């Protein structure tokens, strides 16, 4: 009843607005409240109606950012093995191949894959207590560390996209906190964007 009353009251004021060069008071009020609780430096809010669309928009924003900055060649995305980002075309492209994405392979674009911090089944056969998060930037970890991929594709990467701290659809792969901090550090060092899905 409380939600129905709120919906009815809102419909009497303003029933629907498409955010195309337009906004309204409740959207502004919510954005202002959100900006008070997000980390410093985040100053914009973009509303989306679901996770897949949010990922799609974030990937488009990354490409538009580089286009606006005079670097139109920066169209490549780096995602992690075992990733799942959604069911729209760009989100499926960033997701690792699965039975859900396979039928749509002709529609998907190439994404470079980096090691994920799958400590239970470490891709490098290491132990978390002594590995130093080698899957992220270890010199002996091979060509699929994020550090090596960022170096190899430095001039073409639009963004690195990750599911921070937990890859749920991959079987609940819980990250060590050092991995996410390392992704941020490597993106900053490489001068590229990071999308946190």
């Amino acid at each position: 009843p409380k939600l129905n009353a709120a919906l009815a009251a809102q419909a009497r004021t303003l029933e629907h607005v498409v955010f195309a060069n337009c906004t309204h008071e409740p959207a502004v009020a919510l954005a202002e409240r959100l900006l008070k609780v997000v980390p410093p430096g985040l100053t914009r809010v973009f509303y989306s109606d679901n996770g897949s669309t949010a990922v799609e928009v974030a990937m488009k924003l990354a490409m538009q950012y580089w286009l606006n900055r005079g670097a139109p060649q920066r169209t490549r995305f780096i995602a992690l093995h075992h990733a799942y980002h959604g069911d729209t075309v760009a989100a499926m492209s960033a997701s690792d191949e699965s039975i859900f994405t396979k039928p749509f392979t002709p529609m998907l674009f190439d994404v470079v894959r980096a090691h994920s911090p799958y400590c239970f089944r470490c891709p490098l056969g290491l132990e978390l207590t002594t590995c130093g998060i080698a899957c992220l930037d270890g010199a002996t970890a091979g060509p699929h560390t994020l550090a090596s991929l960022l170096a190899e594709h430095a001039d073409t990467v639009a963004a690195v996209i990750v599911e921070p701290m937990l890859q749920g659809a991959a079987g609940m792969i819980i990250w060590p906190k050092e991995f996410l901090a390392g992704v941020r550090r490597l993106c900053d060092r490489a001068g590229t964007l990071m999308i946190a899905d």
Side-chain angles (χ1 to χ4, degrees):
K2 186 174 180 179
L3 290 175
N4 288 339
L7 286 167
Q10 179 60 51
R12 283 192 296 274
T13 305
L14 180 71
E15 70 277 358
H16 177 69
V17 170
V18 175
F19 289 110
N21 294 324
C22 186
T23 190
H24 54 81
E25 189 177 334
V28 172
L30 178 58
E32 288 172 347
R33 288 177 64 189
L34 288 170
L35 291 175
K36 288 178 183 174
V37 298
V38 298
L42 298 178
T43 60
R44 302 286 191 271
V45 173
F46 185 96
Y47 291 109
S48 182
D49 61 344
N50 63 70
S52 296
T53 304
V55 167
E56 198 91 5
V57 168
M59 294 175 79
K60 287 172 62 179
L61 284 170
M63 289 183 69
Q64 184 72 49
Y65 172 83
W66 291 113
L67 183 64
N68 291 354
R69 302 222 14 156
Q73 76 283 2
R74 295 189 75 155
T75 59
R76 184 183 309 271
F77 289 88
I78 298 177
L80 300 182
H81 287 290
H82 311 292
Y84 174 76
H85 293 288
D87 296 321
T88 55
V89 174
M92 282 194 299
S93 297
S95 299
D96 214 349
E97 185 179 300
S98 72
I99 60 170
F100 303 108
T101 61
K102 203 166 184 101
F104 308 103
T105 300
M107 295 175 67
L108 307 181
F109 56 82
D110 287 333
V111 171
V112 179
R113 297 258 171 238
H115 289 307
S116 70
Y118 197 174
C119 298
F120 183 68
R121 291 189 175 92
C122 177
L124 307 175
L126 303 174
E127 294 291 325
L128 176 60
T129 53
T130 57
C131 75
I133 315 298
C135 59
L136 184 63
D137 59 0
T140 61
H144 296 287
T145 65
L146 181 57
S148 64
L149 292 171
L150 282 169
E152 180 183 348
H153 303 288
D155 297 333
T156 61
V157 174
V160 174
I161 181 168
V162 298
E163 300 157 271
M165 305 305 293
L166 173 69
Q167 290 182 294
M172 306 310 278
I173 299 173
I174 300 170
W175 298 9
K177 65 181 181 224
E178 298 86 358
F179 190 89
L180 183 58
V183 171
R184 176 74 269 165
R185 176 180 40 81
L186 290 172
C187 287
D188 288 346
R189 190 170 77 195
T192 197
L193 303 174
M194 181 182 112
I195 298 170
D197 173 10

